[in-house]
Amino acid sequence: MRSVISSVKKSRTAGTLLAVVIFLQAISASAGWPQESAPPRIDEEFTKQETIYRGRGADGTRGYITSRGLSDYVALLPSGFCNTLAKLGSADRWLDIGAGAGLAILDYYNLAKCARRGVKARAVAMSIEDRRSDAWKKQAASLDANRLRYLTGKRLRHYSPEELGKFQMITDVYGGFSYTEDLSQFVEKVLSLLEAKGVFYTMLQGVRLENGKDQPDTAYQTELLDPASGDVKVCSWLKKISCVKVGCESSSEWAPTERINIRKVCSDVSVPRLKLLEYQSGAPPGRRFQLAP
Ligand SMILES: C[S@@+](CC[C@H](N)C(=O)[O-])C[C@H]1O[C@@H](n2cnc3c(N)ncnc32)[C@H](O)[C@@H]1O
């Protein structure tokens, strides 16, 4: 199978390709996981990724989409998302990780979609870079403090439990789940922020599908390997987490995509560790991880 990472590599020089192959062989040949810091090539990709986060398109840097509204979220997230949102009470809390401009939350506050008349949950939008619009600022100013919050300046993993509190629902549409270089730590953090019976709705494009209906010669964007370097589906990995119920809706309309819901059913959550093998900056990035033995 061809991956996005490998197809990008094709356009590089033979020397670079050889160095990458040697590096990958070195990791897989070593007993256990290498403990040293990320190798320089991955560091370079992280630096390029930062310019994507900060890029606004107009200034010549590569921008990315940060303005999906609630209808887009309904289309991209699993089928239960809109109903769960509509059932949230006014004391409940919704966290949108990687919210961009926070348009989905703004729509929720302003439209009748996915909401009960007059009842709105408290909502927190999180984005590495500040994408707040004037509309967001106006809406937030018109509400009681803490009904609408926008957190920016750092990644999910850098927030303490006290800073964030707990949530009944967490969403992520092309946010940290698609961009993080530490997928297992990211999922562990998300689950630690969920109340019991709370649910995480997310999606991932360019992955091996749970229903096996992948097109031949698919270019995968996020790849998971087992310790013997065999392919692992993202949903199979998620289903190994303790204390959760995972639902996956596979779709292969334009790219192999999983719509994922993870419900927390007890507190003793344990997420099987993944080690980052490769990271190719992009929107979203190409990533390859391997399950720890
Ligand atoms: C492509 S935008 C998507 C924005 C929005 N969800 C939408 O669909 O329009 C990616 C967003 O994810 C955020 N992001 C990426 N990694 C993150 C992380 N580890 N923690 C928090 N936010 C993250 C970025 O800062 C940005 O706001």
Side-chain angles (χ1 to χ4, degrees):
M1 289 283 185
R2 193 164 53 88
S3 72
V4 164
I5 291 170
S6 59
S7 53
V8 170
K9 273 185 213 150
K10 270 181 199 158
S11 63
R12 297 195 170 172
T13 63
T16 310
L17 186 62
L18 184 65
V20 171
V21 170
I22 290 168
F23 162 60
L24 285 175
Q25 283 173 344
I27 327 179
S28 50
S30 63
W33 298 102
Q35 296 301 308
E36 58 273 6
S37 60
R41 202 187 73 84
I42 289 187
D43 281 347
E44 276 170 31
E45 294 301 318
F46 290 164
T47 306
K48 284 190 213 157
Q49 192 63 42
E50 287 303 319
T51 66
I52 293 174
Y53 293 141
R54 314 284 161 199
R56 301 273 164 167
D59 57 2
T61 51
R62 194 170 156 196
Y64 61 0
I65 300 171
T66 56
S67 55
R68 291 185 186 89
L70 191 55
S71 300
D72 300 313
Y73 273 43
V74 171
L76 290 163
L77 290 173
S79 42
F81 160 68
C82 194
N83 267 342
T84 304
L85 184 53
K87 282 186 190 146
L88 294 182
S90 61
D92 290 334
R93 301 181 75 224
W94 167 22
L95 170 65
D96 187 24
I97 304 169
L103 204 58
I105 291 178
L106 269 191
D107 284 350
Y108 167 69
Y109 262 87
N110 290 316
L111 309 174
K113 200 174 176 64
C114 306
R116 276 181 285 161
R117 192 182 289 270
V119 181
K120 304 282 170 166
R122 289 176 287 167
V124 179
M126 180 187 291
S127 174
I128 298 172
E129 73 284 5
D130 192 347
R131 301 264 177 184
R132 263 174 298 184
S133 59
D134 289 343
W136 177 281
K137 289 175 189 163
K138 207 168 149 197
Q139 181 85 61
S142 73
L143 295 166
D144 289 348
N146 279 339
R147 290 223 71 82
L148 206 54
R149 287 174 71 198
Y150 192 97
L151 301 177
T152 186
K154 53 187 181 182
R155 287 159 167 72
L156 174 73
R157 64 173 176 268
H158 296 129
Y159 291 91
S160 68
E162 295 73 30
E163 276 176 287
L164 295 176
K166 295 265 188 173
F167 298 87
Q168 280 67 35
M169 189 180 80
I170 300 179
T171 50
D172 184 308
V173 174
Y174 292 109
F177 192 64
S178 295
Y179 282 80
T180 184
E181 65 274 19
D182 192 338
L183 197 56
S184 45
Q185 186 201 46
F186 181 89
V187 171
E188 194 170 77
K189 180 83 181 188
V190 169
L191 295 174
S192 75
L193 296 171
L194 276 182
E195 291 281 14
K197 297 191 186 150
V199 60
F200 175 45
Y201 289 108
T202 189
M203 44 75 63
L204 203 53
Q205 121 188 344
V207 291
R208 287 198 164 73
L209 295 176
E210 184 70 352
N211 70 4
K213 293 189 178 165
D214 309 49
Q215 300 295 322
D217 204 24
T218 294
Y220 294 107
Q221 212 146 4
T222 295
E223 290 188 289
L224 270 52
L225 304 175
D226 65 20
S229 297
D231 295 327
V232 177
K233 293 169 181 167
V234 68
C235 283
S236 311
W237 166 66
L238 290 169
K239 285 175 180 176
K240 290 190 169 86
I241 300 172
S242 58
C243 271
V244 297
K245 275 205 170 126
V246 177
C248 289
E249 298 168 25
S250 307
S251 130
S252 43
E253 282 160 34
W254 50 278
T257 303
E258 280 307 345
R259 297 183 170 90
I260 300 164
N261 71 81
I262 308 179
R263 187 170 293 279
K264 185 169 169 179
V265 294
C266 49
S267 57
D268 204 5
V269 173
S270 172
V271 181
R273 288 274 139 227
L274 291 173
K275 173 87 181 174
L276 180 69
L277 295 185
E278 278 189 84
Y279 193 93
Q280 177 78 53
S281 58
R287 304 171 298 176
R288 183 177 285 146
F289 300 96
Q290 190 165 32
L291 269 162

